Structure formats: C-alpha cells, structure tokens
Amino acid sequence: MIRLYDTARGEVRDLVLRSPGRVSMYVCGPTVDNLPHLGHGRFTLVWDVARRWFTFQGLRVHYVSNITDIDDKIIARAQAESRDEGDVVKQYEGEWWDAMGRLGVAEPDDAPHATDYIAQMVELIESFLERDVAYRTSDGVYFDVSSVPDYGLLAGQPLESLRAGARVEANDEKRSPLDFALWKNAKPDEPRWPAPFGDGRPGWHTECVVMSLDLLGEDFDLHCGGFDLKFPHHENERAQAVAAHKAFARHWDHNGWVMVGGEKMSKSLGNFTSLTELLEHTDPRAYRLLVLRSHYRSPIEVTRDTIADAERALARLDALARRFELPVLGGDRFELASAHGWEEESLELYERVVSLMNDDLNTPAAVGELFEAVSVANAAADDGQKVAARRLAQSINVLFGAMGLALLAGNQVVDADSDRLVQERDVARAARDWSEADRLRQALVERGWIVEDGASGTVIRRP
RNA sequence: GGCGGCGUGGCCGAGCGGUUAGGCAGGGGCCUGCAAAGCCCCGUACUCCGGUUCGAAUCCGGACGCCGCCUCCA
C-alpha cells in the first residue's frame, strides 16, 4: 500500500484509488511566458519521480500535465516585444520541452493546452451564470466563492478568516475580494474568443478543472502542484468542481518550493534562476539527485554549493556503474519491479527502499539506503564476492532507475590519439617503465582525461 | 490579524521514545610502482527553558529565531 500526504486532510494517508491498479494524476503545468525556472524543474522532477515509482510498483499511471498558453503575462510579453502571442507561446513552450528532455522528465501521457478547451470552459461558465454561482461585472465574469460551503478546505481556513486577511481590492464590483475571474473581457488589441457573455479569454483557474475532468474523468486520483498553488489556484479549481456537481480529485499533494538565500524563489520577487541556464553548465542528473535527497514537501536551496555537492555524490554512483559495467536506465524507460529478480541482499535492499518510498515518497532516506548499499557492493567486490557484489550493484542501478536517475559508466568517445596513449601506457606499465607510464599519464591528463589503472589496464574518463 | 511549516555535527539531509541514518567536505590508515577508484577508522549533532518518562532530537508547555500562504506565482 502506498501512503501519500493529502493536502485536503493535512495528513499522510493511504492512496485510495478510483480503480485498483490504476493511478490518474494531474500535475499543474507551466504558463509559457518565459524560460522555465528552477522551481519548474523541481516540481516536474518531484512528480516525475512519483509517476515512475507508481509505475515501478505495478500501477498503470495516466499522467496529465497542462500547458497554459493564454494568460495576462503572455499578452504582456507579446505587447512589450511587439510580437504575436502565438509566437511567444511557441518559443517558450519549445524551451519548456527542451528543458524537460534534458532533465529526463518523461513526457506526460497528455499535455493539454488551455486554448484547445475554450469552448468547454465557456460552457461551464455559462452554467455557473445560469445557476447564479457566477456573476458578470464590467470587466468579466466572476465566481461567487460563498456558493461553496466548504470553500477554504485546501487553504485550511474557513472563508471568513480568508476574507479577513484579504488585501484591499481595487475592483469594487466584486461581491467578495476572494471571488475570482472565470472570464476576462478582451480589451482592444487583446486576443479574444467569442462567448455569450462577451468576447474575451478564460481566467486561469478554469482551464485545469475542465481539462482534468475531460482527460481523467470525474473522481480522478491525484492532483498535484507546487505549494503555492494550494491557494488560491487549487482551492478555486475545487470550488468550480463542487459548483458543477462533479467529483474532483481524491487526493491533493503539493511539493515544496525552491529557495534562494532563504527566500522563496518566485516571479514576483524576481529572484529566479532559469532552469535553462542551470542545465547549460550542470549535469541535469545532479539536479535530480539534489531533489531526491530532500523530501518533496520540504523547501530546497538550489545553489552552486548544493549542486556541486550533488555532482560529487553522483560521481560515486557513476564509479559504481563503471566498476560493474551497469546498463543505462532511466530516461524514457520506466522500470518495473516485477521485471527484475530480487534475491538475498538485493531483496533486503529492495524491501527497505520500497517501505521508505511507499511511505510518502521518502526519497532522501531511500537514497541513503542506496548509498549504503554502494559501499556494501564495493566492499563485497574488493573481498572477491563477485556474484553478491554484482547482484547488489544491479539492484542499486534498477532502484535509481526507478526514480529516473541514470547511472552512467561513461561510454565516452575516446579519440584515436588518446586511445594510442592508453595503449602505450599499458605497454610501459607491463614493462614496469614507470617514468614512461607517468609521462603518458601526464599527456592524457593534459588532454582532459582522468586516468585510472584497473585490473584490465588503463581506463580514461572525463571529469 | 488568521492559517501552516521549519530550527539536527563544517555543509546538505533522514529521523516520529531506546539503533552508528546517508552523502559531501576534513583527518588517519589499507590497497596501488606512484596515482585514481575502492575499503576501513575518526569528528559524537539535535535553538533555548521547563515538564512527562527508567530513558527524548523524537511527546507536552513556554520562549526565541527563520520561512511561507491569505495577491500573479511551480
């Protein structure tokens, strides 16, 4: 049984699925108005790991994550840069998928776009107007939050207390400051879609309700996103589903955010680092390992120091892959626990990792177990216990693969000149000509290689 | 003001009443022609003050500090 935190209840509980053996999950995706930042990298990694783990445990996962391709910020950028909105969307959605590919985040089964669902959103908004849970103002259509009795469930606060803390509202046509826009009337030069209540565009909170219910159906299993989406975004999605008399997400879960210098990284603070930039000078696996080494609901600091720490830890794993010539897992490939043999020490490791992972995805403790196992495997190999060592190393590889982390033995292209130096060095070492061997090593180091003398001769790799 | 989270050894980071978590960095040793990789050993930590208990980083009360949500945000 998999246990997972549920934001709606504020506790870890059994993941109770709509239909046994299948998980339907919806992860709120990005608004493509800018380069993806580190926070986007974290949430996609966190839920990618969850998805892979569920799959590993034998569940069939239907993973949906949207692209918000119409939004005030997209319009603002288009106007500021005198471009077409579609052009902005095309550029940044391209950057998005490119970054996801490099991070090793598997593509969603469905990646719906808001603009493909305008008609259904209009239909929903109309039904709200008919039933008077929404009302029109001079600038659009608003949802009346007081029509939902348990509004504030995800925020963990009743409506009254939320209202008390609300900031002063500029729009005095709203009945409550908490009421949110379902539809925004188009101003001149703004993109627009026709609607009986006035041409315009949908508000942000409506798209996810419509798309998740369309693709996953009512009563789907899991709705995820960053902590900051809890309120108001997810609260408002839920409110609409309640008002529409639709059973919505059975479980809600939210990942912690990325911090910078002790503060939350966010667009409004302007302190965000682009993911694209990070990936230009870092092994993307280091970010995945950094994410795995903290609990998904905790905040993380992503700095050169924490990334460098993860890179050094990764080197230890890659060394294991080199020593045991492990196959490359992760990436597009999803591991299945049932497809591997688990015996003796590897079975013990498997069971420890499973119990940690199934308890609210305790990746840091699971990774701790795996690193411990790395030492055990190496020690066993040093001790000549080849079979046990190999079995453990392969299991470590599979378990990291199940979290999407690929261990890389190297498989690096060695140019002909370097290869010649390696061979000459083996000859020199066989002849115990140490000064020549040292000279050849120096030549290889100058070519940027790290030189290791193994049982089968000189091996070179890039740092 | 309301609600929520956090404070663990140089750094990162598990922990849910009694166990050496784990990683990185650092020190010592083994292995190696010398290295690299690997192995072994070492640092004995829980913001503070009370309380409960045979026993608390873990439970209770209080204090201090930090962060977040209540506005667009992953």
Side-chain angles (χ1 to χ4, degrees), chain A residues 67-335:
Chain A
I67 296 287
T68 298
D69 59 350
I70 180 62
D71 170 88
D72 291 4
K73 287 194 291 296
I74 292 170
I75 296 169
R77 177 176 286 271
Q79 292 186 343
E81 298 177 1
S82 301
R83 308 163 63 180
D84 186 69
E85 283 82 10
D87 188 47
V88 171
V89 166
K90 189 179 172 198
Q91 177 192 346
Y92 291 111
E93 185 175 350
E95 294 279 5
W96 173 262
W97 294 120
D98 184 56
M100 291 303 108
R102 280 191 279 170
L103 272 181
V105 169
E107 283 182 29
D109 296 308
D110 292 294
H113 290 65
T115 57
D116 290 335
Y117 279 85
I118 303 282
Q120 289 189 47
M121 288 192 255
V122 168
E123 195 180 324
L124 181 68
I125 294 165
E126 256 196 294
S127 78
F128 287 155
L129 283 169
E130 281 166 15
R131 288 190 289 113
D132 204 31
V133 297
Y135 55 91
R136 299 174 63 168
T137 68
S138 57
D139 66 349
V141 180
Y142 286 83
F143 186 90
D144 180 353
V145 297
S146 70
S147 65
V148 177
D150 61 351
Y151 189 84
L153 179 76
L154 292 172
Q157 291 193 81
L159 184 57
E160 279 316 308
S161 118
L162 283 167
R163 182 178 289 153
R167 296 173 198 191
V168 179
E169 180 64 52
N171 184 347
D172 55 12
E173 290 180 67
K174 282 165 66 170
R175 294 177 190 168
S176 159
L178 296 171
D179 289 352
F180 57 91
L182 293 165
W183 190 261
K184 298 181 180 184
N185 294 337
K187 300 191 185 92
D189 301 325
E190 285 185 349
R192 65 192 61 213
W193 284 263
F197 34 80
D199 293 0
R201 64 180 182 278
W204 180 40
H205 308 304
T206 302
E207 62 179 270
C208 291
V209 189
V210 168
M211 296 189 293
S212 60
L213 288 171
D214 180 67
L215 292 163
L216 296 173
E218 279 195 56
D219 198 29
F220 65 90
D221 297 310
L222 184 56
H223 196 135
C224 315
F227 257 55
D228 41 8
L229 295 188
K230 241 180 348 184
F231 190 92
H233 183 54
H234 285 165
E235 190 74 54
N236 290 344
E237 283 185 43
R238 203 189 71 85
Q240 291 171 84
V242 169
H245 307 298
K246 304 267 192 188
F248 206 45
R250 298 166 77 98
H251 297 257
W252 294 86
D253 205 356
H254 296 87
N255 60 276
W257 36 63
V258 172
M259 309 288 284
V260 177
E263 279 191 316
K264 178 188 169 192
M265 168 180 290
S266 74
K267 287 185 182 178
S268 55
L269 289 173
N271 61 350
F272 62 91
T273 303
S274 92
L275 179 61
T276 308
E277 187 189 3
L278 175 80
L279 296 177
E280 273 165 15
H281 55 78
T282 310
D283 186 332
R285 298 178 303 147
Y287 193 20
R288 183 178 289 263
L289 185 56
L290 177 61
V291 165
L292 286 171
R293 292 213 295 174
S294 70
H295 188 80
Y296 75 92
R297 286 189 281 111
S298 301
I300 53 170
E301 285 274 352
V302 182
T303 63
R304 39 257 148 318
D305 286 347
T306 58
I307 286 285
D309 187 85
E311 282 181 318
R312 285 187 294 261
L314 195 55
R316 180 166 161 77
L317 300 178
D318 284 347
L320 184 84
R322 228 178 298 126
R323 181 171 194 176
F324 292 95
E325 299 178 324
L326 300 171
V328 179
L329 306 180
D332 293 337
R333 172 178 167 154
F334 280 37
E335 298 305 313

